Amino acid sequence: MNSEAKTKVGSIVHLGAGALSGMTSCILLQPFDLLKTRVQQSHMQGAGRGSVLHVLQTVVQSEGVRGLWRGTIPTLLRNAPGTSLYFYFLSHTRALSLAAERRIFHDTQRTKLSAPSNMLVGASSRALAGFLLMPGTVLKVQYESSLYRYKGMMPAVVEIWRSGGFRGFFVGAVPTAIRDAPYAGLYMLLYEAVKSYERAFAEGRGFSLRETTVTMVAGVSAGLTASYLTQPFDLVKTRMQLRPREYTSVAQSFVKIFREESVLGFFRGISLRVLRKGIQASLVFTLYEWVLRTNAAKSSVSSTALKA
């Protein structure tokens, strides 16, 4: 197999691994997403409606248990290709960054990126994938919200177009990018650092850890920390997408939320987001790396068989 064919196969594997991990996490964790959206919209519906338990009870009473999975289809349409594109961009930007560092540091044996490069690779990959899938993000958030009672995907698309035109599908793009780029950058930095620490810790005490354990622990740790640090931008993004006429820009939204809800207002739904992101990050990266390892093992076996 020539190098061009190998690159093509590698890209397909990264896309497929990303899509599989994205779809799995979306289906399992959709209730967290729906409840987070409902909690974050609660201030616009009056005081006393914002607790997770109250929102959960309201959803189950009015829509049944199935109501917790409302918005799963737009979430899949947005997150499965989004995760796939993210890992695709991540794979390519990692390779480019590693090649650049080898040239800069005159180290052809370098196999790991520096901490700043890990942050840059993660941030740029997430920001680019997020922008391309922005229409799906707007559709997903509005579909999950009880402020919009869409009867289906097409009615939702038509209504967003009618009320906001092409720009309506990119409402909240700026806070989304401000949230996603730092989140992904911090995530990659912490993820790689925690993995290295786990391996060094185990090696120093004379035992080994399964790779699945390493990636799961690193994924949860990095996901929880990065989620907490970027939470205010997540809330601003949701408000802008639900009420674009009330929350007209990032700066205006920050001022409005601070005046009406104080600093604590920026952390509405934080417990749900932190739980979801931590679990999702662990699932996504564990599945993604498992697929890559499985493919690498199969390729190795095939190569050995051909040589024999």
Side-chain angles (χ1 to χ4, degrees):
M1 186 182 288
N2 59 37
S3 59
E4 184 178 350
K6 286 181 179 178
T7 301
K8 185 176 180 181
V9 170
S11 297
I12 292 172
V13 170
H14 282 283
L15 283 167
L20 175 63
S21 58
M23 287 176 63
T24 304
S25 65
C26 284
I27 294 170
L28 292 176
L29 303 175
Q30 177 59 22
F32 287 92
D33 239 8
L34 180 129
L35 291 172
K36 177 182 74 73
T37 298
R38 299 287 178 95
V39 169
Q40 290 183 340
Q41 76 176 39
S42 62
H43 176 74
M44 296 182 284
Q45 296 177 302
R49 298 185 177 183
S51 73
V52 175
L53 182 59
H54 184 277
V55 172
L56 174 61
Q57 291 174 334
T58 301
V59 173
V60 173
Q61 287 172 2
S62 60
E63 304 174 45
V65 175
R66 289 180 61 186
L68 294 171
W69 273 267
R70 177 178 171 81
T72 300
I73 292 176
T75 296
L76 284 171
L77 292 175
R78 189 268 177 232
N79 285 7
T83 306
S84 183
L85 283 173
Y86 168 60
F87 281 118
Y88 175 79
F89 294 144
L90 192 65
S91 170
H92 284 271
T93 51
R94 265 178 171 169
L96 291 172
S97 297
L98 186 59
E101 286 196 348
R102 285 170 175 169
R103 290 196 298 270
I104 292 170
F105 296 105
H106 305 291
D107 180 6
T108 57
Q109 303 304 313
R110 180 184 285 261
T111 59
K112 291 186 177 182
L113 289 174
S114 63
S117 291
N118 268 323
M119 287 192 70
L120 181 61
V121 164
S124 59
S125 299
R126 177 66 71 185
L128 182 55
F131 180 77
L132 293 176
L133 274 298
M134 194 64 211
T137 302
V138 174
L139 180 62
K140 167 187 172 302
V141 169
Q142 292 192 6
Y143 212 88
E144 290 170 347
S145 170
S146 62
L147 299 174
Y148 299 83
R149 306 306 299 176
Y150 296 131
K151 300 299 183 182
M153 294 289 293
M154 282 311 298
V157 171
V158 170
E159 179 57 28
I160 294 172
W161 177 266
R162 187 191 64 77
S163 61
F166 182 75
R167 292 182 62 183
F169 291 100
F170 287 86
V171 171
V174 173
T176 299
I178 296 173
R179 176 199 67 176
D180 286 352
Y183 171 85
L186 284 168
Y187 181 88
M188 284 306 303
L189 174 66
L190 294 169
Y191 179 73
E192 294 297 336
V194 173
K195 283 203 302 182
S196 296
Y197 174 80
E198 287 181 84
R199 289 166 180 153
F201 181 85
E203 185 178 341
R205 283 156 181 77
F207 65 92
S208 61
L209 291 171
R210 291 174 61 89
E211 193 61 23
T212 303
T213 302
V214 172
T215 54
M216 286 190 72
V217 172
V220 170
S221 303
L224 292 176
T225 306
S227 295
Y228 231 102
L229 294 174
T230 57
Q231 168 64 16
F233 295 101
D234 182 71
L235 183 103
V236 169
K237 181 266 309 179
T238 300
R239 293 288 178 83
M240 289 180 70
Q241 290 171 343
L242 293 178
R243 284 287 189 260
R245 290 186 176 85
E246 293 180 28
Y247 299 87
T248 56
S249 69
V250 176
Q252 180 267 347
S253 298
F254 265 99
V255 172
K256 179 177 173 64
I257 293 167
F258 179 74
R259 284 178 176 172
E260 296 179 358
E261 307 169 56
S262 78
V263 174
L264 293 178
F266 291 106
F267 291 89
R268 288 183 185 274
I270 181 62
S271 59
L272 292 164
R273 181 168 184 256
V274 163
L275 280 172
R276 180 190 177 280
K277 281 291 186 181
I279 297 170
Q280 180 190 35
S282 178
L283 282 173
V284 165
F285 270 80
T286 299
L287 277 171
Y288 173 73
E289 295 198 0
W290 175 78
V291 171
L292 295 187
R293 288 197 302 272
T294 301
N295 179 74
K298 288 182 178 178
S299 297
S300 177
V301 170
S302 298
S303 178
T304 302
L306 286 173
K307 288 178 180 178

